Structures are given as C-alpha cells and as structure tokens.
C-alpha cells in the first residue's frame, strides 16, 4: 500500500542504507529496492543516488521527503489513536462492596 511505501522511503531517506531499512521493517533489501524504484517510477523522478556503499537523496528526493514527512506522521498518529480507542481494557478489576451485597449479587 502507498502508506507503507512512503514510510519505507522516509526511513531510507533517514538511514541512507536500504539493507538497514530492510532489517528495521522486516523486509528483504530487494523488496526495499523494488518499493523505492516503484515510487520513483510513479513520481517520474529519481529520489536516490545509489552507490555500492550507500544511497543519498537527490534534490527531488529531499524536497519530497520534507513535504510528505508531516502527512505520514499525522497518518501514523491517527492509526495509533484509532487502534488504541478500540482496544479492550485489560487487567484486574477489584470491586469493594459489603458482604451482603456481594452474596446477593453473586447469587449465594
């Protein structure tokens, strides 16, 4: 999905190393390379200059990263908020009540 590709791109822009990005996102280096290449093809621009040792952002890549960073962060925040809103409360619940109430409520 587009969100995952954009997160991959932003992490690659930060780390400047596709192999490291792959490890952090539990992907293969080839999958990271393909995702970035597909994004570049979709945008019609080269986002990274690749060498055998590292990658670096092109001017277009730096501009794109700066423009999408706030939107991706907002999306991530919204995803966390909605997931947390629907999580069931967990843990032990203690209730203090008089003995007579507890016997009546518990059917004893």
């Amino acid at each position: 999905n587009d969100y995952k590709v954009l997160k991959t791109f932003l992490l690659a822009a930060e780390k400047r190393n596709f192999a490291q990005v792959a490890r952090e996102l539990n992907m293969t280096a080839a999958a990271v390379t393909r995702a970035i290449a597909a994004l570049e093809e979709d945008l019609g621009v080269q986002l990274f200059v690749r060498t055998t040792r590292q990658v670096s952002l092109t001017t277009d890549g730096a501009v794109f990263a700066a423009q999408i960073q706030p939107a991706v962060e907002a999306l991530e925040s919204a995803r966390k908020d909605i997931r947390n809103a629907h999580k069931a409360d967990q843990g032990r619940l203690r209730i203090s009540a008089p003995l007579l109430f507890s016997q009546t409520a518990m059917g004893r």
Side-chain angles (χ1 to χ4, degrees):
N1 78 32
D2 290 342
Y3 172 74
K4 187 175 181 179
V5 170
L6 294 178
K7 277 188 67 169
T8 302
F9 164 71
L10 287 174
L11 191 57
E14 176 189 334
K15 301 294 182 184
R16 312 283 168 109
N17 184 305
F18 287 1
Q20 187 176 357
V21 171
R23 283 190 298 277
E24 288 191 29
L25 297 179
N26 199 27
M27 300 170 66
T28 65
V32 171
T33 301
R34 282 193 303 273
I36 299 298
L39 181 60
E40 288 175 325
E41 185 174 329
D42 181 55
L43 296 173
V45 297
Q46 186 175 351
L47 300 171
F48 291 97
V49 175
R50 296 151 176 88
T51 67
T52 55
R53 295 183 190 262
Q54 69 176 20
V55 294
S56 57
L57 285 169
T58 62
T59 302
D60 288 332
V63 168
F64 187 63
Q67 288 178 335
I68 68 167
Q69 180 82 37
V72 171
E73 287 175 0
L75 266 172
E76 183 66 25
S77 178
R79 287 168 54 106
K80 285 180 183 175
D81 289 349
I82 199 71
R83 285 182 179 149
N84 289 336
H86 291 283
K87 278 187 177 177
D89 290 329
Q90 297 178 352
R92 181 175 289 179
L93 175 64
R94 292 180 186 248
I95 300 174
S96 296
L99 181 60
L100 181 60
F101 174 79
S102 64
Q103 289 175 339
T104 305
M106 301 301 279
R108 290 188 177 187

PDB file of all heavy atoms in Angstrom, residues 49-86:
ATOM      1  N   VAL A  49      20.410   8.671  -5.215  1.00  0.00           N
ATOM      2  CA  VAL A  49      21.601   8.311  -5.981  1.00  0.00           C
ATOM      3  C   VAL A  49      22.175   7.104  -5.267  1.00  0.00           C
ATOM      4  O   VAL A  49      22.431   7.152  -4.059  1.00  0.00           O
ATOM      5  CB  VAL A  49      22.639   9.461  -6.002  1.00  0.00           C
ATOM      6  CG1 VAL A  49      23.908   9.014  -6.702  1.00  0.00           C
ATOM      7  CG2 VAL A  49      22.041  10.690  -6.651  1.00  0.00           C
ATOM      8  N   ARG A  50      22.329   6.003  -5.985  1.00  0.00           N
ATOM      9  CA  ARG A  50      22.785   4.759  -5.378  1.00  0.00           C
ATOM     10  C   ARG A  50      24.236   4.497  -5.725  1.00  0.00           C
ATOM     11  O   ARG A  50      24.635   4.631  -6.872  1.00  0.00           O
ATOM     12  CB  ARG A  50      21.925   3.597  -5.861  1.00  0.00           C
ATOM     13  CG  ARG A  50      20.467   3.674  -5.454  1.00  0.00           C
ATOM     14  CD  ARG A  50      19.590   2.966  -6.489  1.00  0.00           C
ATOM     15  NE  ARG A  50      18.186   2.911  -6.149  1.00  0.00           N
ATOM     16  CZ  ARG A  50      17.305   3.849  -6.449  1.00  0.00           C
ATOM     17  NH1 ARG A  50      17.695   4.950  -7.078  1.00  0.00           N
ATOM     18  NH2 ARG A  50      16.039   3.716  -6.124  1.00  0.00           N
ATOM     19  N   THR A  51      25.013   4.131  -4.710  1.00  0.00           N
ATOM     20  CA  THR A  51      26.367   3.643  -4.933  1.00  0.00           C
ATOM     21  C   THR A  51      26.449   2.265  -4.295  1.00  0.00           C
ATOM     22  O   THR A  51      25.490   1.808  -3.674  1.00  0.00           O
ATOM     23  CB  THR A  51      27.428   4.578  -4.303  1.00  0.00           C
ATOM     24  OG1 THR A  51      27.310   4.521  -2.877  1.00  0.00           O
ATOM     25  CG2 THR A  51      27.276   6.007  -4.782  1.00  0.00           C
ATOM     26  N   THR A  52      27.585   1.618  -4.419  1.00  0.00           N
ATOM     27  CA  THR A  52      27.714   0.286  -3.842  1.00  0.00           C
ATOM     28  C   THR A  52      27.699   0.329  -2.322  1.00  0.00           C
ATOM     29  O   THR A  52      27.350  -0.652  -1.678  1.00  0.00           O
ATOM     30  CB  THR A  52      29.010  -0.400  -4.315  1.00  0.00           C
ATOM     31  OG1 THR A  52      30.105   0.458  -4.013  1.00  0.00           O
ATOM     32  CG2 THR A  52      28.954  -0.684  -5.792  1.00  0.00           C
ATOM     33  N   ARG A  53      28.056   1.440  -1.718  1.00  0.00           N
ATOM     34  CA  ARG A  53      28.139   1.525  -0.259  1.00  0.00           C
ATOM     35  C   ARG A  53      26.980   2.244   0.417  1.00  0.00           C
ATOM     36  O   ARG A  53      26.681   1.994   1.570  1.00  0.00           O
ATOM     37  CB  ARG A  53      29.450   2.211   0.144  1.00  0.00           C
ATOM     38  CG  ARG A  53      30.656   1.401  -0.242  1.00  0.00           C
ATOM     39  CD  ARG A  53      31.912   2.086   0.238  1.00  0.00           C
ATOM     40  NE  ARG A  53      33.082   1.438  -0.316  1.00  0.00           N
ATOM     41  CZ  ARG A  53      33.795   0.543   0.331  1.00  0.00           C
ATOM     42  NH1 ARG A  53      33.461   0.190   1.539  1.00  0.00           N
ATOM     43  NH2 ARG A  53      34.842  -0.004  -0.242  1.00  0.00           N
ATOM     44  N   GLN A  54      26.354   3.172  -0.277  1.00  0.00           N
ATOM     45  CA  GLN A  54      25.277   3.935   0.353  1.00  0.00           C
ATOM     46  C   GLN A  54      24.347   4.515  -0.687  1.00  0.00           C
ATOM     47  O   GLN A  54      24.613   4.443  -1.879  1.00  0.00           O
ATOM     48  CB  GLN A  54      25.841   5.050   1.231  1.00  0.00           C
ATOM     49  CG  GLN A  54      26.504   6.168   0.453  1.00  0.00           C
ATOM     50  CD  GLN A  54      26.963   7.297   1.366  1.00  0.00           C
ATOM     51  OE1 GLN A  54      27.115   7.120   2.546  1.00  0.00           O
ATOM     52  NE2 GLN A  54      27.171   8.469   0.797  1.00  0.00           N
ATOM     53  N   VAL A  55      23.280   5.099  -0.186  1.00  0.00           N
ATOM     54  CA  VAL A  55      22.367   5.846  -1.052  1.00  0.00           C
ATOM     55  C   VAL A  55      22.266   7.253  -0.469  1.00  0.00           C
ATOM     56  O   VAL A  55      22.439   7.456   0.726  1.00  0.00           O
ATOM     57  CB  VAL A  55      20.974   5.191  -1.135  1.00  0.00           C
ATOM     58  CG1 VAL A  55      21.046   3.847  -1.815  1.00  0.00           C
ATOM     59  CG2 VAL A  55      20.325   5.076   0.226  1.00  0.00           C
ATOM     60  N   SER A  56      22.019   8.204  -1.326  1.00  0.00           N
ATOM     61  CA  SER A  56      21.813   9.573  -0.861  1.00  0.00           C
ATOM     62  C   SER A  56      20.654  10.171  -1.640  1.00  0.00           C
ATOM     63  O   SER A  56      20.378   9.780  -2.775  1.00  0.00           O
ATOM     64  CB  SER A  56      23.081  10.414  -1.026  1.00  0.00           C
ATOM     65  OG  SER A  56      23.496  10.411  -2.373  1.00  0.00           O
ATOM     66  N   LEU A  57      19.976  11.095  -1.009  1.00  0.00           N
ATOM     67  CA  LEU A  57      18.828  11.730  -1.639  1.00  0.00           C
ATOM     68  C   LEU A  57      19.249  12.666  -2.761  1.00  0.00           C
ATOM     69  O   LEU A  57      20.240  13.381  -2.638  1.00  0.00           O
ATOM     70  CB  LEU A  57      18.046  12.539  -0.606  1.00  0.00           C
ATOM     71  CG  LEU A  57      17.197  11.765   0.379  1.00  0.00           C
ATOM     72  CD1 LEU A  57      16.704  12.686   1.483  1.00  0.00           C
ATOM     73  CD2 LEU A  57      16.030  11.100  -0.317  1.00  0.00           C
ATOM     74  N   THR A  58      18.480  12.665  -3.816  1.00  0.00           N
ATOM     75  CA  THR A  58      18.627  13.689  -4.844  1.00  0.00           C
ATOM     76  C   THR A  58      17.922  14.939  -4.311  1.00  0.00           C
ATOM     77  O   THR A  58      17.252  14.905  -3.272  1.00  0.00           O
ATOM     78  CB  THR A  58      17.954  13.252  -6.158  1.00  0.00           C
ATOM     79  OG1 THR A  58      16.555  13.080  -5.912  1.00  0.00           O
ATOM     80  CG2 THR A  58      18.558  11.976  -6.713  1.00  0.00           C
ATOM     81  N   THR A  59      18.037  16.030  -5.017  1.00  0.00           N
ATOM     82  CA  THR A  59      17.323  17.248  -4.625  1.00  0.00           C
ATOM     83  C   THR A  59      15.821  16.990  -4.610  1.00  0.00           C
ATOM     84  O   THR A  59      15.121  17.371  -3.658  1.00  0.00           O
ATOM     85  CB  THR A  59      17.666  18.411  -5.569  1.00  0.00           C
ATOM     86  OG1 THR A  59      19.076  18.624  -5.533  1.00  0.00           O
ATOM     87  CG2 THR A  59      16.943  19.679  -5.179  1.00  0.00           C
ATOM     88  N   ASP A  60      15.319  16.308  -5.651  1.00  0.00           N
ATOM     89  CA  ASP A  60      13.890  15.966  -5.693  1.00  0.00           C
ATOM     90  C   ASP A  60      13.512  15.072  -4.515  1.00  0.00           C
ATOM     91  O   ASP A  60      12.448  15.235  -3.917  1.00  0.00           O
ATOM     92  CB  ASP A  60      13.532  15.251  -6.998  1.00  0.00           C
ATOM     93  CG  ASP A  60      13.530  16.184  -8.200  1.00  0.00           C
ATOM     94  OD1 ASP A  60      13.273  17.389  -8.013  1.00  0.00           O
ATOM     95  OD2 ASP A  60      13.770  15.693  -9.317  1.00  0.00           O
ATOM     96  N   GLY A  61      14.373  14.132  -4.172  1.00  0.00           N
ATOM     97  CA  GLY A  61      14.110  13.237  -3.049  1.00  0.00           C
ATOM     98  C   GLY A  61      14.032  13.982  -1.731  1.00  0.00           C
ATOM     99  O   GLY A  61      13.158  13.715  -0.895  1.00  0.00           O
ATOM    100  N   ALA A  62      14.930  14.934  -1.533  1.00  0.00           N
ATOM    101  CA  ALA A  62      14.935  15.729  -0.296  1.00  0.00           C
ATOM    102  C   ALA A  62      13.681  16.592  -0.193  1.00  0.00           C
ATOM    103  O   ALA A  62      13.074  16.696   0.879  1.00  0.00           O
ATOM    104  CB  ALA A  62      16.188  16.592  -0.235  1.00  0.00           C
ATOM    105  N   VAL A  63      13.285  17.189  -1.292  1.00  0.00           N
ATOM    106  CA  VAL A  63      12.070  18.019  -1.300  1.00  0.00           C
ATOM    107  C   VAL A  63      10.844  17.152  -1.018  1.00  0.00           C
ATOM    108  O   VAL A  63       9.992  17.506  -0.195  1.00  0.00           O
ATOM    109  CB  VAL A  63      11.926  18.762  -2.651  1.00  0.00           C
ATOM    110  CG1 VAL A  63      10.550  19.393  -2.796  1.00  0.00           C
ATOM    111  CG2 VAL A  63      13.021  19.809  -2.797  1.00  0.00           C
ATOM    112  N   PHE A  64      10.765  15.992  -1.666  1.00  0.00           N
ATOM    113  CA  PHE A  64       9.633  15.085  -1.477  1.00  0.00           C
ATOM    114  C   PHE A  64       9.559  14.605  -0.025  1.00  0.00           C
ATOM    115  O   PHE A  64       8.486  14.607   0.586  1.00  0.00           O
ATOM    116  CB  PHE A  64       9.733  13.905  -2.445  1.00  0.00           C
ATOM    117  CG  PHE A  64       8.543  13.000  -2.436  1.00  0.00           C
ATOM    118  CD1 PHE A  64       7.295  13.458  -2.812  1.00  0.00           C
ATOM    119  CD2 PHE A  64       8.665  11.677  -2.045  1.00  0.00           C
ATOM    120  CE1 PHE A  64       6.184  12.617  -2.806  1.00  0.00           C
ATOM    121  CE2 PHE A  64       7.571  10.823  -2.030  1.00  0.00           C
ATOM    122  CZ  PHE A  64       6.318  11.301  -2.416  1.00  0.00           C
ATOM    123  N   ALA A  65      10.700  14.237   0.544  1.00  0.00           N
ATOM    124  CA  ALA A  65      10.740  13.766   1.931  1.00  0.00           C
ATOM    125  C   ALA A  65      10.243  14.860   2.879  1.00  0.00           C
ATOM    126  O   ALA A  65       9.441  14.594   3.783  1.00  0.00           O
ATOM    127  CB  ALA A  65      12.151  13.324   2.309  1.00  0.00           C
ATOM    128  N   ALA A  66      10.704  16.078   2.672  1.00  0.00           N
ATOM    129  CA  ALA A  66      10.293  17.187   3.538  1.00  0.00           C
ATOM    130  C   ALA A  66       8.792  17.465   3.420  1.00  0.00           C
ATOM    131  O   ALA A  66       8.139  17.794   4.413  1.00  0.00           O
ATOM    132  CB  ALA A  66      11.084  18.446   3.193  1.00  0.00           C
ATOM    133  N   GLN A  67       8.256  17.294   2.224  1.00  0.00           N
ATOM    134  CA  GLN A  67       6.837  17.580   2.020  1.00  0.00           C
ATOM    135  C   GLN A  67       5.935  16.494   2.591  1.00  0.00           C
ATOM    136  O   GLN A  67       4.862  16.792   3.107  1.00  0.00           O
ATOM    137  CB  GLN A  67       6.539  17.766   0.537  1.00  0.00           C
ATOM    138  CG  GLN A  67       7.083  19.067  -0.015  1.00  0.00           C
ATOM    139  CD  GLN A  67       6.825  19.223  -1.499  1.00  0.00           C
ATOM    140  OE1 GLN A  67       6.658  18.244  -2.223  1.00  0.00           O
ATOM    141  NE2 GLN A  67       6.796  20.456  -1.953  1.00  0.00           N
ATOM    142  N   ILE A  68       6.348  15.230   2.516  1.00  0.00           N
ATOM    143  CA  ILE A  68       5.450  14.163   2.972  1.00  0.00           C
ATOM    144  C   ILE A  68       5.632  13.792   4.443  1.00  0.00           C
ATOM    145  O   ILE A  68       4.756  13.164   5.026  1.00  0.00           O
ATOM    146  CB  ILE A  68       5.564  12.903   2.097  1.00  0.00           C
ATOM    147  CG1 ILE A  68       6.922  12.217   2.277  1.00  0.00           C
ATOM    148  CG2 ILE A  68       5.252  13.213   0.646  1.00  0.00           C
ATOM    149  CD1 ILE A  68       6.977  10.817   1.702  1.00  0.00           C
ATOM    150  N   GLN A  69       6.742  14.181   5.044  1.00  0.00           N
ATOM    151  CA  GLN A  69       7.014  13.810   6.445  1.00  0.00           C
ATOM    152  C   GLN A  69       5.855  14.162   7.380  1.00  0.00           C
ATOM    153  O   GLN A  69       5.386  13.303   8.129  1.00  0.00           O
ATOM    154  CB  GLN A  69       8.311  14.466   6.917  1.00  0.00           C
ATOM    155  CG  GLN A  69       8.684  14.148   8.350  1.00  0.00           C
ATOM    156  CD  GLN A  69       9.385  12.819   8.498  1.00  0.00           C
ATOM    157  OE1 GLN A  69      10.166  12.447   7.638  1.00  0.00           O
ATOM    158  NE2 GLN A  69       9.106  12.118   9.561  1.00  0.00           N
ATOM    159  N   PRO A  70       5.348  15.398   7.376  1.00  0.00           N
ATOM    160  CA  PRO A  70       4.249  15.730   8.296  1.00  0.00           C
ATOM    161  C   PRO A  70       2.988  14.898   8.035  1.00  0.00           C
ATOM    162  O   PRO A  70       2.305  14.487   8.968  1.00  0.00           O
ATOM    163  CB  PRO A  70       3.981  17.213   8.035  1.00  0.00           C
ATOM    164  CG  PRO A  70       5.211  17.728   7.377  1.00  0.00           C
ATOM    165  CD  PRO A  70       5.797  16.569   6.621  1.00  0.00           C
ATOM    166  N   ALA A  71       2.689  14.636   6.779  1.00  0.00           N
ATOM    167  CA  ALA A  71       1.493  13.861   6.451  1.00  0.00           C
ATOM    168  C   ALA A  71       1.618  12.416   6.920  1.00  0.00           C
ATOM    169  O   ALA A  71       0.669  11.851   7.465  1.00  0.00           O
ATOM    170  CB  ALA A  71       1.235  13.910   4.942  1.00  0.00           C
ATOM    171  N   VAL A  72       2.777  11.819   6.734  1.00  0.00           N
ATOM    172  CA  VAL A  72       2.987  10.439   7.167  1.00  0.00           C
ATOM    173  C   VAL A  72       2.946  10.360   8.694  1.00  0.00           C
ATOM    174  O   VAL A  72       2.364   9.423   9.258  1.00  0.00           O
ATOM    175  CB  VAL A  72       4.302   9.862   6.586  1.00  0.00           C
ATOM    176  CG1 VAL A  72       4.640   8.521   7.188  1.00  0.00           C
ATOM    177  CG2 VAL A  72       4.197   9.753   5.069  1.00  0.00           C
ATOM    178  N   GLU A  73       3.531  11.341   9.372  1.00  0.00           N
ATOM    179  CA  GLU A  73       3.467  11.368  10.839  1.00  0.00           C
ATOM    180  C   GLU A  73       2.027  11.517  11.323  1.00  0.00           C
ATOM    181  O   GLU A  73       1.620  10.865  12.294  1.00  0.00           O
ATOM    182  CB  GLU A  73       4.338  12.493  11.390  1.00  0.00           C
ATOM    183  CG  GLU A  73       5.823  12.206  11.289  1.00  0.00           C
ATOM    184  CD  GLU A  73       6.696  13.375  11.719  1.00  0.00           C
ATOM    185  OE1 GLU A  73       6.157  14.437  12.115  1.00  0.00           O
ATOM    186  OE2 GLU A  73       7.929  13.223  11.670  1.00  0.00           O
ATOM    187  N   ALA A  74       1.237  12.351  10.657  1.00  0.00           N
ATOM    188  CA  ALA A  74      -0.171  12.523  11.027  1.00  0.00           C
ATOM    189  C   ALA A  74      -0.954  11.234  10.807  1.00  0.00           C
ATOM    190  O   ALA A  74      -1.790  10.858  11.633  1.00  0.00           O
ATOM    191  CB  ALA A  74      -0.790  13.668  10.227  1.00  0.00           C
ATOM    192  N   LEU A  75      -0.683  10.548   9.707  1.00  0.00           N
ATOM    193  CA  LEU A  75      -1.330   9.261   9.441  1.00  0.00           C
ATOM    194  C   LEU A  75      -0.974   8.236  10.509  1.00  0.00           C
ATOM    195  O   LEU A  75      -1.841   7.502  10.990  1.00  0.00           O
ATOM    196  CB  LEU A  75      -0.900   8.724   8.071  1.00  0.00           C
ATOM    197  CG  LEU A  75      -1.797   9.053   6.904  1.00  0.00           C
ATOM    198  CD1 LEU A  75      -1.136   8.625   5.601  1.00  0.00           C
ATOM    199  CD2 LEU A  75      -3.140   8.382   7.043  1.00  0.00           C
ATOM    200  N   GLU A  76       0.291   8.176  10.869  1.00  0.00           N
ATOM    201  CA  GLU A  76       0.748   7.235  11.890  1.00  0.00           C
ATOM    202  C   GLU A  76       0.062   7.534  13.225  1.00  0.00           C
ATOM    203  O   GLU A  76      -0.391   6.612  13.916  1.00  0.00           O
ATOM    204  CB  GLU A  76       2.265   7.310  12.052  1.00  0.00           C
ATOM    205  CG  GLU A  76       2.838   6.310  13.031  1.00  0.00           C
ATOM    206  CD  GLU A  76       2.689   4.866  12.598  1.00  0.00           C
ATOM    207  OE1 GLU A  76       2.584   4.585  11.392  1.00  0.00           O
ATOM    208  OE2 GLU A  76       2.666   4.000  13.490  1.00  0.00           O
ATOM    209  N   SER A  77      -0.054   8.783  13.573  1.00  0.00           N
ATOM    210  CA  SER A  77      -0.716   9.180  14.814  1.00  0.00           C
ATOM    211  C   SER A  77      -2.191   8.794  14.782  1.00  0.00           C
ATOM    212  O   SER A  77      -2.728   8.273  15.766  1.00  0.00           O
ATOM    213  CB  SER A  77      -0.562  10.686  15.024  1.00  0.00           C
ATOM    214  OG  SER A  77      -1.239  11.085  16.187  1.00  0.00           O
ATOM    215  N   ALA A  78      -2.853   9.026  13.668  1.00  0.00           N
ATOM    216  CA  ALA A  78      -4.272   8.670  13.533  1.00  0.00           C
ATOM    217  C   ALA A  78      -4.466   7.161  13.623  1.00  0.00           C
ATOM    218  O   ALA A  78      -5.417   6.684  14.256  1.00  0.00           O
ATOM    219  CB  ALA A  78      -4.819   9.207  12.210  1.00  0.00           C
ATOM    220  N   ARG A  79      -3.562   6.397  13.011  1.00  0.00           N
ATOM    221  CA  ARG A  79      -3.650   4.929  13.082  1.00  0.00           C
ATOM    222  C   ARG A  79      -3.502   4.454  14.521  1.00  0.00           C
ATOM    223  O   ARG A  79      -4.253   3.590  14.982  1.00  0.00           O
ATOM    224  CB  ARG A  79      -2.574   4.289  12.209  1.00  0.00           C
ATOM    225  CG  ARG A  79      -2.840   4.400  10.713  1.00  0.00           C
ATOM    226  CD  ARG A  79      -1.616   4.013   9.888  1.00  0.00           C
ATOM    227  NE  ARG A  79      -1.110   2.701  10.231  1.00  0.00           N
ATOM    228  CZ  ARG A  79      -1.263   1.611   9.466  1.00  0.00           C
ATOM    229  NH1 ARG A  79      -1.918   1.706   8.330  1.00  0.00           N
ATOM    230  NH2 ARG A  79      -0.754   0.462   9.833  1.00  0.00           N
ATOM    231  N   LYS A  80      -2.550   5.000  15.258  1.00  0.00           N
ATOM    232  CA  LYS A  80      -2.357   4.616  16.658  1.00  0.00           C
ATOM    233  C   LYS A  80      -3.569   4.991  17.499  1.00  0.00           C
ATOM    234  O   LYS A  80      -4.019   4.204  18.325  1.00  0.00           O
ATOM    235  CB  LYS A  80      -1.094   5.276  17.220  1.00  0.00           C
ATOM    236  CG  LYS A  80       0.185   4.654  16.736  1.00  0.00           C
ATOM    237  CD  LYS A  80       1.391   5.357  17.320  1.00  0.00           C
ATOM    238  CE  LYS A  80       2.671   4.760  16.745  1.00  0.00           C
ATOM    239  NZ  LYS A  80       3.857   5.478  17.187  1.00  0.00           N
ATOM    240  N   ASP A  81      -4.096   6.201  17.282  1.00  0.00           N
ATOM    241  CA  ASP A  81      -5.252   6.655  18.054  1.00  0.00           C
ATOM    242  C   ASP A  81      -6.455   5.745  17.841  1.00  0.00           C
ATOM    243  O   ASP A  81      -7.136   5.383  18.799  1.00  0.00           O
ATOM    244  CB  ASP A  81      -5.623   8.097  17.688  1.00  0.00           C
ATOM    245  CG  ASP A  81      -4.627   9.117  18.199  1.00  0.00           C
ATOM    246  OD1 ASP A  81      -3.754   8.755  19.018  1.00  0.00           O
ATOM    247  OD2 ASP A  81      -4.720  10.289  17.765  1.00  0.00           O
ATOM    248  N   ILE A  82      -6.729   5.387  16.600  1.00  0.00           N
ATOM    249  CA  ILE A  82      -7.912   4.570  16.324  1.00  0.00           C
ATOM    250  C   ILE A  82      -7.731   3.156  16.847  1.00  0.00           C
ATOM    251  O   ILE A  82      -8.672   2.542  17.348  1.00  0.00           O
ATOM    252  CB  ILE A  82      -8.289   4.582  14.822  1.00  0.00           C
ATOM    253  CG1 ILE A  82      -9.737   4.133  14.619  1.00  0.00           C
ATOM    254  CG2 ILE A  82      -7.379   3.711  13.993  1.00  0.00           C
ATOM    255  CD1 ILE A  82     -10.749   5.116  15.075  1.00  0.00           C
ATOM    256  N   ARG A  83      -6.523   2.628  16.781  1.00  0.00           N
ATOM    257  CA  ARG A  83      -6.269   1.293  17.336  1.00  0.00           C
ATOM    258  C   ARG A  83      -6.437   1.308  18.852  1.00  0.00           C
ATOM    259  O   ARG A  83      -7.030   0.396  19.414  1.00  0.00           O
ATOM    260  CB  ARG A  83      -4.868   0.824  16.972  1.00  0.00           C
ATOM    261  CG  ARG A  83      -4.748   0.387  15.535  1.00  0.00           C
ATOM    262  CD  ARG A  83      -3.359  -0.120  15.252  1.00  0.00           C
ATOM    263  NE  ARG A  83      -3.254  -0.566  13.876  1.00  0.00           N
ATOM    264  CZ  ARG A  83      -2.164  -0.508  13.154  1.00  0.00           C
ATOM    265  NH1 ARG A  83      -1.042  -0.061  13.684  1.00  0.00           N
ATOM    266  NH2 ARG A  83      -2.154  -0.929  11.913  1.00  0.00           N
ATOM    267  N   ASN A  84      -5.900   2.320  19.509  1.00  0.00           N
ATOM    268  CA  ASN A  84      -5.995   2.413  20.966  1.00  0.00           C
ATOM    269  C   ASN A  84      -7.434   2.640  21.424  1.00  0.00           C
ATOM    270  O   ASN A  84      -7.818   2.178  22.495  1.00  0.00           O
ATOM    271  CB  ASN A  84      -5.092   3.511  21.509  1.00  0.00           C
ATOM    272  CG  ASN A  84      -3.625   3.143  21.397  1.00  0.00           C
ATOM    273  OD1 ASN A  84      -3.262   1.979  21.331  1.00  0.00           O
ATOM    274  ND2 ASN A  84      -2.772   4.149  21.365  1.00  0.00           N
ATOM    275  N   ALA A  85      -8.222   3.339  20.633  1.00  0.00           N
ATOM    276  CA  ALA A  85      -9.603   3.621  21.004  1.00  0.00           C
ATOM    277  C   ALA A  85     -10.447   2.351  21.042  1.00  0.00           C
ATOM    278  O   ALA A  85     -11.443   2.287  21.751  1.00  0.00           O
ATOM    279  CB  ALA A  85     -10.219   4.625  20.026  1.00  0.00           C
ATOM    280  N   HIS A  86     -10.054   1.342  20.289  1.00  0.00           N
ATOM    281  CA  HIS A  86     -10.847   0.115  20.209  1.00  0.00           C
ATOM    282  C   HIS A  86     -10.213  -1.066  20.924  1.00  0.00           C
ATOM    283  O   HIS A  86     -10.685  -2.182  20.790  1.00  0.00           O
ATOM    284  CB  HIS A  86     -11.127  -0.223  18.739  1.00  0.00           C
ATOM    285  CG  HIS A  86     -12.060   0.763  18.110  1.00  0.00           C
ATOM    286  ND1 HIS A  86     -13.413   0.763  18.332  1.00  0.00           N
ATOM    287  CD2 HIS A  86     -11.822   1.830  17.315  1.00  0.00           C
ATOM    288  CE1 HIS A  86     -13.970   1.757  17.686  1.00  0.00           C
ATOM    289  NE2 HIS A  86     -13.035   2.424  17.057  1.00  0.00           N
TER     290      HIS A  86
END
